Amino acid sequence: MGNAELGQRLRTLRRKAGLSQRALAKKVSVASATISLMEAGKISPSVGSLKRILEGIPIGLSEFFAFAEEPDETVFYAAEDLSEIGSGRLSIKQIGGNPFGRSLQILKETYGLNADTGRVLYEHEGEEGGIVISGRVEVTVGDQRKILGPGDAYFFQSSKPHRFRQVGPEESVIISACTPPTF
């Protein structure tokens, strides 16, 4: 099992248990950043640390690796059915509640004033693209940086370090997609 699949499985089970990343981290005495990095597929945990984290859900290692959730077969989604996976001034609404078994993730990203994805550029497996619907957003990919406005778009390999930051006097909205679903 690759890091991305392990991370998706952990995220799915954590959410099914009704736990935030922070709550699970506190429950098992690990840094919430560790759980975030695991779910994003950026780090591969040791068996011991994975077992410790799973005890907070609670689920055993064998159940974790045997877990096979049925892919979501829903075709249409009302606006209120989109799953919120962001926090604070950054709202990220995902089409479909669970990316398990999917090869594509589609998001509606709303950046409130001065919102960003963090000062540290992040990277993950796959590729992503999007189009700005409203507002202005500064997109940094590697050593390239550009401010995009309504109708402007981007597409890049997600393995390149990247960051998104709202600029200007109004919130920004982007419709994006990434494959595989690793956000």
Side-chain angles (χ1 to χ4, degrees):
M1 172 182 306
N3 287 352
E5 185 182 351
L6 185 140
Q8 288 175 2
R9 189 171 291 201
L10 177 59
R11 177 183 293 127
T12 298
L13 290 168
R14 174 185 56 77
R15 287 180 177 166
K16 280 182 143 288
L19 295 167
S20 67
Q21 288 179 347
R22 186 172 289 143
L24 178 58
K26 185 175 182 180
K27 192 173 184 181
V28 297
S29 301
V30 299
S32 59
T34 300
I35 293 174
S36 176
L37 289 169
M38 285 174 57
E39 288 186 0
K42 294 180 183 177
I43 61 171
S44 179
S46 68
V47 172
S49 46
L50 179 59
K51 184 176 183 337
R52 181 176 170 188
I53 289 168
L54 294 176
E55 287 171 355
I57 290 181
I59 186 172
L61 278 172
S62 60
E63 292 172 282
F64 176 77
F65 286 106
F67 175 75
E69 185 168 340
E70 292 296 316
D72 184 356
E73 298 292 332
T74 305
V75 175
F76 303 105
Y77 299 87
E80 61 272 10
D81 295 335
L82 301 181
S83 302
E84 179 64 57
I85 61 173
S87 63
R89 293 177 295 187
L90 176 54
S91 169
I92 302 174
K93 295 196 174 192
Q94 174 179 274
I95 297 175
N98 179 4
F100 187 80
R102 294 184 176 185
S103 57
L104 174 69
Q105 182 177 41
I106 303 173
L107 305 170
K108 177 184 180 187
E109 305 174 42
T110 304
Y111 293 77
L113 297 181
N114 301 311
D116 64 31
T117 56
R119 291 181 185 262
V120 177
L121 279 67
Y122 62 102
E123 52 195 275
H124 49 91
E125 178 185 346
E127 55 189 16
E128 59 191 270
I131 186 165
V132 177
I133 303 303
S134 63
R136 296 171 63 76
V137 65
E138 178 186 72
V139 181
T140 303
V141 179
D143 60 359
Q144 298 181 58
R145 181 180 302 170
K146 184 161 180 101
I147 295 176
L148 304 177
D152 293 337
Y154 60 89
F155 183 88
F156 59 89
Q157 293 297 316
S158 304
S159 59
K160 294 181 179 177
H162 53 283
R163 175 185 185 211
F164 295 81
R165 184 174 71 89
Q166 183 279 336
V167 295
E170 62 180 310
E171 73 178 18
S172 303
V173 176
I174 297 173
I175 301 298
S176 68
C178 66
T179 182
T182 54
F183 188 86

Short mmCIF file of all heavy atoms in Angstrom, two decimals, residues 20-79:
data_model
loop_
_atom_site.label_atom_id
_atom_site.label_comp_id
_atom_site.label_asym_id
_atom_site.label_seq_id
_atom_site.Cartn_x
_atom_site.Cartn_y
_atom_site.Cartn_z
N SER A 20 -11.49 15.12 14.47
CA SER A 20 -10.66 16.03 13.67
C SER A 20 -9.22 15.54 13.79
O SER A 20 -8.89 14.73 14.67
CB SER A 20 -10.77 17.46 14.20
OG SER A 20 -10.17 17.55 15.49
N GLN A 21 -8.36 16.04 12.92
CA GLN A 21 -6.94 15.68 13.03
C GLN A 21 -6.40 16.09 14.39
O GLN A 21 -5.68 15.34 15.04
CB GLN A 21 -6.13 16.36 11.93
CG GLN A 21 -6.34 15.79 10.56
CD GLN A 21 -5.54 16.49 9.49
OE1 GLN A 21 -4.99 17.57 9.69
NE2 GLN A 21 -5.48 15.89 8.31
N ARG A 22 -6.76 17.29 14.82
CA ARG A 22 -6.27 17.80 16.11
C ARG A 22 -6.75 16.94 17.27
O ARG A 22 -5.99 16.63 18.18
CB ARG A 22 -6.72 19.26 16.27
CG ARG A 22 -6.13 19.93 17.51
CD ARG A 22 -6.42 21.42 17.54
NE ARG A 22 -5.62 22.05 16.51
CZ ARG A 22 -6.01 23.08 15.77
NH1 ARG A 22 -7.18 23.60 15.94
NH2 ARG A 22 -5.22 23.59 14.85
N ALA A 23 -8.03 16.54 17.24
CA ALA A 23 -8.58 15.73 18.33
C ALA A 23 -7.90 14.36 18.39
O ALA A 23 -7.56 13.88 19.48
CB ALA A 23 -10.09 15.56 18.17
N LEU A 24 -7.69 13.74 17.24
CA LEU A 24 -7.02 12.45 17.22
C LEU A 24 -5.59 12.59 17.72
O LEU A 24 -5.12 11.78 18.53
CB LEU A 24 -7.04 11.84 15.82
CG LEU A 24 -6.30 10.50 15.65
CD1 LEU A 24 -6.86 9.44 16.59
CD2 LEU A 24 -6.38 10.05 14.19
N ALA A 25 -4.89 13.62 17.27
CA ALA A 25 -3.51 13.85 17.70
C ALA A 25 -3.41 14.01 19.21
O ALA A 25 -2.54 13.43 19.86
CB ALA A 25 -2.94 15.08 16.98
N LYS A 26 -4.34 14.79 19.77
CA LYS A 26 -4.33 15.01 21.22
C LYS A 26 -4.61 13.70 21.96
O LYS A 26 -3.97 13.38 22.96
CB LYS A 26 -5.37 16.06 21.58
CG LYS A 26 -5.36 16.45 23.04
CD LYS A 26 -6.33 17.58 23.32
CE LYS A 26 -6.26 17.97 24.78
NZ LYS A 26 -7.17 19.06 25.10
N LYS A 27 -5.54 12.92 21.42
CA LYS A 27 -5.95 11.67 22.05
C LYS A 27 -4.79 10.66 22.13
O LYS A 27 -4.69 9.91 23.09
CB LYS A 27 -7.11 11.08 21.23
CG LYS A 27 -7.84 9.96 21.88
CD LYS A 27 -9.07 9.61 21.03
CE LYS A 27 -9.90 8.54 21.68
NZ LYS A 27 -11.06 8.17 20.87
N VAL A 28 -3.92 10.67 21.12
CA VAL A 28 -2.83 9.68 21.08
C VAL A 28 -1.45 10.31 21.33
O VAL A 28 -0.43 9.66 21.15
CB VAL A 28 -2.83 8.89 19.75
CG1 VAL A 28 -4.11 8.08 19.63
CG2 VAL A 28 -2.62 9.79 18.55
N SER A 29 -1.43 11.59 21.71
CA SER A 29 -0.19 12.31 22.05
C SER A 29 0.83 12.33 20.92
O SER A 29 2.00 12.00 21.11
CB SER A 29 0.44 11.72 23.31
OG SER A 29 -0.46 11.80 24.40
N VAL A 30 0.37 12.72 19.71
CA VAL A 30 1.29 12.97 18.60
C VAL A 30 0.97 14.36 18.05
O VAL A 30 -0.09 14.92 18.30
CB VAL A 30 1.17 11.91 17.46
CG1 VAL A 30 1.49 10.53 17.95
CG2 VAL A 30 -0.17 11.96 16.79
N ALA A 31 1.89 14.91 17.30
CA ALA A 31 1.68 16.23 16.70
C ALA A 31 0.59 16.13 15.62
O ALA A 31 0.60 15.18 14.83
CB ALA A 31 2.97 16.75 16.10
N SER A 32 -0.33 17.10 15.58
CA SER A 32 -1.37 17.07 14.56
C SER A 32 -0.75 17.18 13.17
O SER A 32 -1.30 16.65 12.20
CB SER A 32 -2.41 18.16 14.79
OG SER A 32 -1.84 19.44 14.78
N ALA A 33 0.42 17.81 13.06
CA ALA A 33 1.11 17.90 11.77
C ALA A 33 1.49 16.51 11.27
O ALA A 33 1.47 16.25 10.06
CB ALA A 33 2.34 18.77 11.89
N THR A 34 1.81 15.60 12.17
CA THR A 34 2.17 14.24 11.79
C THR A 34 0.98 13.55 11.12
O THR A 34 1.11 12.92 10.07
CB THR A 34 2.63 13.42 13.02
OG1 THR A 34 3.77 14.06 13.58
CG2 THR A 34 2.95 11.99 12.65
N ILE A 35 -0.20 13.70 11.72
CA ILE A 35 -1.40 13.08 11.15
C ILE A 35 -1.73 13.74 9.81
O ILE A 35 -2.06 13.07 8.84
CB ILE A 35 -2.58 13.15 12.14
CG1 ILE A 35 -2.25 12.24 13.34
CG2 ILE A 35 -3.89 12.75 11.47
CD1 ILE A 35 -3.22 12.30 14.47
N SER A 36 -1.59 15.06 9.74
CA SER A 36 -1.83 15.78 8.49
C SER A 36 -0.91 15.28 7.38
O SER A 36 -1.35 15.03 6.25
CB SER A 36 -1.64 17.28 8.72
OG SER A 36 -1.79 17.98 7.52
N LEU A 37 0.37 15.14 7.68
CA LEU A 37 1.34 14.67 6.69
C LEU A 37 1.06 13.23 6.27
O LEU A 37 1.20 12.88 5.10
CB LEU A 37 2.76 14.79 7.23
CG LEU A 37 3.30 16.22 7.37
CD1 LEU A 37 4.59 16.24 8.17
CD2 LEU A 37 3.49 16.86 6.01
N MET A 38 0.64 12.40 7.22
CA MET A 38 0.30 11.01 6.89
C MET A 38 -0.91 10.97 5.96
O MET A 38 -0.89 10.27 4.95
CB MET A 38 -0.01 10.22 8.17
CG MET A 38 1.22 9.85 8.97
SD MET A 38 0.83 9.08 10.56
CE MET A 38 -0.16 7.68 10.07
N GLU A 39 -1.95 11.75 6.29
CA GLU A 39 -3.16 11.74 5.47
C GLU A 39 -2.90 12.31 4.08
O GLU A 39 -3.56 11.92 3.12
CB GLU A 39 -4.27 12.51 6.17
CG GLU A 39 -4.82 11.77 7.37
CD GLU A 39 -6.02 12.45 8.00
OE1 GLU A 39 -6.45 13.53 7.52
OE2 GLU A 39 -6.54 11.91 8.99
N ALA A 40 -1.94 13.22 3.96
CA ALA A 40 -1.60 13.79 2.66
C ALA A 40 -0.67 12.87 1.87
O ALA A 40 -0.32 13.17 0.73
CB ALA A 40 -0.95 15.16 2.86
N GLY A 41 -0.26 11.77 2.47
CA GLY A 41 0.62 10.83 1.79
C GLY A 41 2.06 11.28 1.70
O GLY A 41 2.84 10.77 0.91
N LYS A 42 2.43 12.25 2.56
CA LYS A 42 3.78 12.81 2.50
C LYS A 42 4.79 12.04 3.33
O LYS A 42 5.99 12.13 3.09
CB LYS A 42 3.77 14.27 2.94
CG LYS A 42 3.00 15.17 2.00
CD LYS A 42 3.02 16.60 2.50
CE LYS A 42 2.18 17.48 1.60
NZ LYS A 42 2.11 18.85 2.10
N ILE A 43 4.31 11.32 4.34
CA ILE A 43 5.22 10.51 5.16
C ILE A 43 4.66 9.11 5.31
O ILE A 43 3.45 8.90 5.24
CB ILE A 43 5.49 11.13 6.56
CG1 ILE A 43 4.19 11.25 7.37
CG2 ILE A 43 6.20 12.46 6.45
CD1 ILE A 43 4.42 11.64 8.82
N SER A 44 5.56 8.18 5.51
CA SER A 44 5.18 6.79 5.74
C SER A 44 5.47 6.48 7.20
O SER A 44 6.63 6.50 7.61
CB SER A 44 6.00 5.89 4.83
OG SER A 44 5.67 4.55 5.06
N PRO A 45 4.44 6.21 7.99
CA PRO A 45 4.67 5.96 9.41
C PRO A 45 5.26 4.58 9.66
O PRO A 45 5.08 3.65 8.87
CB PRO A 45 3.26 6.06 10.00
CG PRO A 45 2.39 5.57 8.88
CD PRO A 45 3.03 6.10 7.62
N SER A 46 5.95 4.45 10.77
CA SER A 46 6.39 3.13 11.20
C SER A 46 5.15 2.37 11.64
O SER A 46 4.10 2.96 11.92
CB SER A 46 7.37 3.25 12.36
OG SER A 46 6.71 3.74 13.51
N VAL A 47 5.27 1.06 11.72
CA VAL A 47 4.14 0.23 12.17
C VAL A 47 3.73 0.65 13.58
O VAL A 47 2.54 0.77 13.89
CB VAL A 47 4.51 -1.27 12.11
CG1 VAL A 47 3.42 -2.11 12.75
CG2 VAL A 47 4.73 -1.70 10.68
N GLY A 48 4.73 0.93 14.43
CA GLY A 48 4.44 1.33 15.81
C GLY A 48 3.66 2.62 15.89
O GLY A 48 2.68 2.72 16.64
N SER A 49 4.08 3.64 15.10
CA SER A 49 3.35 4.91 15.18
C SER A 49 1.97 4.80 14.54
O SER A 49 1.02 5.41 15.03
CB SER A 49 4.16 6.07 14.61
OG SER A 49 4.74 5.77 13.40
N LEU A 50 1.83 4.01 13.49
CA LEU A 50 0.51 3.82 12.89
C LEU A 50 -0.41 3.12 13.89
O LEU A 50 -1.56 3.53 14.08
CB LEU A 50 0.61 3.02 11.59
CG LEU A 50 -0.72 2.75 10.89
CD1 LEU A 50 -1.44 4.04 10.53
CD2 LEU A 50 -0.49 1.91 9.64
N LYS A 51 0.10 2.09 14.55
CA LYS A 51 -0.69 1.36 15.54
C LYS A 51 -1.15 2.30 16.65
O LYS A 51 -2.31 2.28 17.06
CB LYS A 51 0.13 0.21 16.13
CG LYS A 51 -0.64 -0.66 17.10
CD LYS A 51 0.20 -1.84 17.55
CE LYS A 51 -0.49 -2.81 18.47
NZ LYS A 51 -1.60 -2.41 19.23
N ARG A 52 -0.26 3.16 17.12
CA ARG A 52 -0.58 4.12 18.18
C ARG A 52 -1.69 5.07 17.74
O ARG A 52 -2.64 5.33 18.48
CB ARG A 52 0.68 4.89 18.53
CG ARG A 52 0.51 5.90 19.62
CD ARG A 52 1.85 6.50 19.92
NE ARG A 52 1.74 7.64 20.79
CZ ARG A 52 2.74 8.42 21.08
NH1 ARG A 52 3.93 8.19 20.58
NH2 ARG A 52 2.57 9.44 21.88
N ILE A 53 -1.61 5.57 16.52
CA ILE A 53 -2.63 6.49 15.99
C ILE A 53 -3.96 5.77 15.83
O ILE A 53 -5.02 6.30 16.18
CB ILE A 53 -2.14 7.13 14.68
CG1 ILE A 53 -1.01 8.12 15.00
CG2 ILE A 53 -3.28 7.82 13.94
CD1 ILE A 53 -0.25 8.60 13.79
N LEU A 54 -3.92 4.55 15.31
CA LEU A 54 -5.15 3.79 15.10
C LEU A 54 -5.86 3.46 16.40
O LEU A 54 -7.09 3.34 16.43
CB LEU A 54 -4.86 2.51 14.31
CG LEU A 54 -4.39 2.72 12.87
CD1 LEU A 54 -4.05 1.38 12.23
CD2 LEU A 54 -5.43 3.47 12.05
N GLU A 55 -5.12 3.33 17.50
CA GLU A 55 -5.74 3.07 18.81
C GLU A 55 -6.66 4.21 19.22
O GLU A 55 -7.61 4.01 19.97
CB GLU A 55 -4.65 2.84 19.87
CG GLU A 55 -3.97 1.50 19.72
CD GLU A 55 -2.75 1.33 20.63
OE1 GLU A 55 -2.37 2.30 21.34
OE2 GLU A 55 -2.18 0.23 20.61
N GLY A 56 -6.40 5.41 18.71
CA GLY A 56 -7.25 6.55 19.03
C GLY A 56 -8.56 6.57 18.27
O GLY A 56 -9.48 7.32 18.59
N ILE A 57 -8.70 5.74 17.23
CA ILE A 57 -9.92 5.77 16.41
C ILE A 57 -11.09 5.03 17.05
O ILE A 57 -12.21 5.58 17.01
CB ILE A 57 -9.60 5.29 14.97
CG1 ILE A 57 -8.74 6.38 14.31
CG2 ILE A 57 -10.86 5.00 14.18
CD1 ILE A 57 -8.32 6.13 12.90
N PRO A 58 -11.06 3.89 17.65
CA PRO A 58 -10.05 2.84 17.71
C PRO A 58 -10.28 1.79 16.63
O PRO A 58 -11.41 1.40 16.33
CB PRO A 58 -10.26 2.24 19.09
CG PRO A 58 -11.73 2.39 19.34
CD PRO A 58 -12.14 3.65 18.60
N ILE A 59 -9.18 1.31 16.07
CA ILE A 59 -9.21 0.22 15.10
C ILE A 59 -7.84 -0.44 15.12
O ILE A 59 -6.82 0.23 15.33
CB ILE A 59 -9.57 0.73 13.67
CG1 ILE A 59 -9.75 -0.42 12.70
CG2 ILE A 59 -8.54 1.73 13.19
CD1 ILE A 59 -10.28 -0.01 11.34
N GLY A 60 -7.80 -1.75 14.93
CA GLY A 60 -6.54 -2.48 14.93
C GLY A 60 -5.87 -2.42 13.57
O GLY A 60 -6.49 -2.07 12.56
N LEU A 61 -4.60 -2.78 13.54
CA LEU A 61 -3.84 -2.78 12.29
C LEU A 61 -4.45 -3.70 11.25
O LEU A 61 -4.57 -3.32 10.07
CB LEU A 61 -2.39 -3.22 12.55
CG LEU A 61 -1.44 -2.15 13.05
CD1 LEU A 61 -0.09 -2.76 13.44
CD2 LEU A 61 -1.22 -1.07 12.02
N SER A 62 -4.85 -4.89 11.64
CA SER A 62 -5.41 -5.83 10.66
C SER A 62 -6.71 -5.28 10.08
O SER A 62 -6.95 -5.39 8.88
CB SER A 62 -5.61 -7.21 11.26
OG SER A 62 -6.49 -7.16 12.36
N GLU A 63 -7.56 -4.69 10.93
CA GLU A 63 -8.80 -4.09 10.43
C GLU A 63 -8.50 -2.93 9.49
O GLU A 63 -9.18 -2.75 8.49
CB GLU A 63 -9.66 -3.58 11.60
CG GLU A 63 -10.22 -4.66 12.49
CD GLU A 63 -10.88 -4.03 13.70
OE1 GLU A 63 -10.13 -3.64 14.63
OE2 GLU A 63 -12.12 -3.93 13.71
N PHE A 64 -7.49 -2.13 9.85
CA PHE A 64 -7.11 -0.98 9.04
C PHE A 64 -6.73 -1.43 7.63
O PHE A 64 -7.19 -0.88 6.64
CB PHE A 64 -5.95 -0.22 9.69
CG PHE A 64 -5.44 0.92 8.87
CD1 PHE A 64 -6.12 2.12 8.80
CD2 PHE A 64 -4.25 0.80 8.14
CE1 PHE A 64 -5.65 3.18 8.04
CE2 PHE A 64 -3.77 1.85 7.38
CZ PHE A 64 -4.47 3.05 7.33
N PHE A 65 -5.87 -2.44 7.54
CA PHE A 65 -5.41 -2.89 6.22
C PHE A 65 -6.47 -3.70 5.48
O PHE A 65 -6.43 -3.78 4.25
CB PHE A 65 -4.09 -3.65 6.35
CG PHE A 65 -2.94 -2.73 6.63
CD1 PHE A 65 -2.37 -2.67 7.89
CD2 PHE A 65 -2.45 -1.89 5.65
CE1 PHE A 65 -1.32 -1.81 8.16
CE2 PHE A 65 -1.41 -1.03 5.90
CZ PHE A 65 -0.83 -0.98 7.16
N ALA A 66 -7.42 -4.27 6.19
CA ALA A 66 -8.49 -5.04 5.55
C ALA A 66 -9.65 -4.14 5.14
O ALA A 66 -10.50 -4.55 4.34
CB ALA A 66 -8.99 -6.13 6.49
N PHE A 67 -9.71 -2.93 5.67
CA PHE A 67 -10.83 -2.02 5.42
C PHE A 67 -10.97 -1.74 3.93
O PHE A 67 -10.02 -1.38 3.25
CB PHE A 67 -10.61 -0.70 6.18
CG PHE A 67 -11.64 0.35 5.88
CD1 PHE A 67 -12.91 0.25 6.42
CD2 PHE A 67 -11.35 1.42 5.06
CE1 PHE A 67 -13.86 1.22 6.15
CE2 PHE A 67 -12.29 2.39 4.80
CZ PHE A 67 -13.55 2.29 5.35
N ALA A 68 -12.16 -1.96 3.41
CA ALA A 68 -12.44 -1.68 2.00
C ALA A 68 -13.81 -1.04 1.92
O ALA A 68 -14.83 -1.71 1.90
CB ALA A 68 -12.40 -2.96 1.19
N GLU A 69 -13.81 0.26 1.91
CA GLU A 69 -15.08 0.99 1.82
C GLU A 69 -15.56 0.99 0.39
O GLU A 69 -14.78 1.07 -0.55
CB GLU A 69 -14.89 2.43 2.30
CG GLU A 69 -16.18 3.19 2.33
CD GLU A 69 -16.05 4.51 3.06
OE1 GLU A 69 -15.13 4.67 3.83
OE2 GLU A 69 -16.90 5.37 2.82
N GLU A 70 -16.86 0.89 0.24
CA GLU A 70 -17.45 0.94 -1.09
C GLU A 70 -17.33 2.37 -1.63
O GLU A 70 -17.61 3.33 -0.92
CB GLU A 70 -18.94 0.56 -1.03
CG GLU A 70 -19.17 -0.90 -0.68
CD GLU A 70 -18.63 -1.83 -1.73
OE1 GLU A 70 -18.83 -1.57 -2.93
OE2 GLU A 70 -17.98 -2.83 -1.34
N PRO A 71 -16.91 2.51 -2.88
CA PRO A 71 -16.83 3.85 -3.47
C PRO A 71 -18.21 4.50 -3.51
O PRO A 71 -19.22 3.82 -3.68
CB PRO A 71 -16.32 3.61 -4.88
CG PRO A 71 -15.73 2.23 -4.86
CD PRO A 71 -16.45 1.47 -3.78
N ASP A 72 -18.25 5.80 -3.34
CA ASP A 72 -19.49 6.57 -3.39
C ASP A 72 -19.99 6.57 -4.83
O ASP A 72 -19.28 6.97 -5.74
CB ASP A 72 -19.21 8.00 -2.91
CG ASP A 72 -20.46 8.86 -2.83
OD1 ASP A 72 -21.55 8.39 -3.21
OD2 ASP A 72 -20.34 10.02 -2.40
N GLU A 73 -21.21 6.13 -5.05
CA GLU A 73 -21.78 6.05 -6.39
C GLU A 73 -22.71 7.23 -6.69
O GLU A 73 -23.37 7.25 -7.73
CB GLU A 73 -22.55 4.73 -6.55
CG GLU A 73 -21.67 3.49 -6.42
CD GLU A 73 -20.66 3.33 -7.56
OE1 GLU A 73 -20.95 3.80 -8.69
OE2 GLU A 73 -19.59 2.75 -7.31
N THR A 74 -22.79 8.21 -5.79
CA THR A 74 -23.65 9.37 -6.00
C THR A 74 -23.20 10.12 -7.25
O THR A 74 -22.01 10.29 -7.49
CB THR A 74 -23.60 10.30 -4.78
OG1 THR A 74 -23.95 9.55 -3.62
CG2 THR A 74 -24.54 11.48 -4.93
N VAL A 75 -24.15 10.59 -8.04
CA VAL A 75 -23.85 11.30 -9.28
C VAL A 75 -24.04 12.80 -9.12
O VAL A 75 -23.21 13.59 -9.59
CB VAL A 75 -24.74 10.78 -10.43
CG1 VAL A 75 -24.51 11.58 -11.70
CG2 VAL A 75 -24.47 9.29 -10.68
N PHE A 76 -25.09 13.23 -8.43
CA PHE A 76 -25.39 14.65 -8.30
C PHE A 76 -25.31 15.08 -6.85
O PHE A 76 -25.67 14.33 -5.95
CB PHE A 76 -26.80 14.95 -8.86
CG PHE A 76 -26.96 14.53 -10.28
CD1 PHE A 76 -27.69 13.40 -10.62
CD2 PHE A 76 -26.37 15.26 -11.30
CE1 PHE A 76 -27.84 12.99 -11.93
CE2 PHE A 76 -26.51 14.87 -12.63
CZ PHE A 76 -27.24 13.74 -12.95
N TYR A 77 -24.85 16.31 -6.62
CA TYR A 77 -24.67 16.84 -5.27
C TYR A 77 -25.25 18.24 -5.18
O TYR A 77 -24.90 19.12 -5.99
CB TYR A 77 -23.17 16.91 -4.91
CG TYR A 77 -22.50 15.57 -4.92
CD1 TYR A 77 -21.95 15.04 -6.09
CD2 TYR A 77 -22.42 14.80 -3.77
CE1 TYR A 77 -21.34 13.81 -6.10
CE2 TYR A 77 -21.80 13.56 -3.78
CZ TYR A 77 -21.27 13.07 -4.94
OH TYR A 77 -20.66 11.84 -4.95
N ALA A 78 -26.11 18.47 -4.21
CA ALA A 78 -26.60 19.83 -3.93
C ALA A 78 -25.47 20.60 -3.24
O ALA A 78 -24.57 19.99 -2.63
CB ALA A 78 -27.83 19.76 -3.03
N ALA A 79 -25.52 21.91 -3.32
CA ALA A 79 -24.47 22.74 -2.72
C ALA A 79 -24.25 22.39 -1.26
O ALA A 79 -23.11 22.31 -0.79
CB ALA A 79 -24.81 24.22 -2.88
#
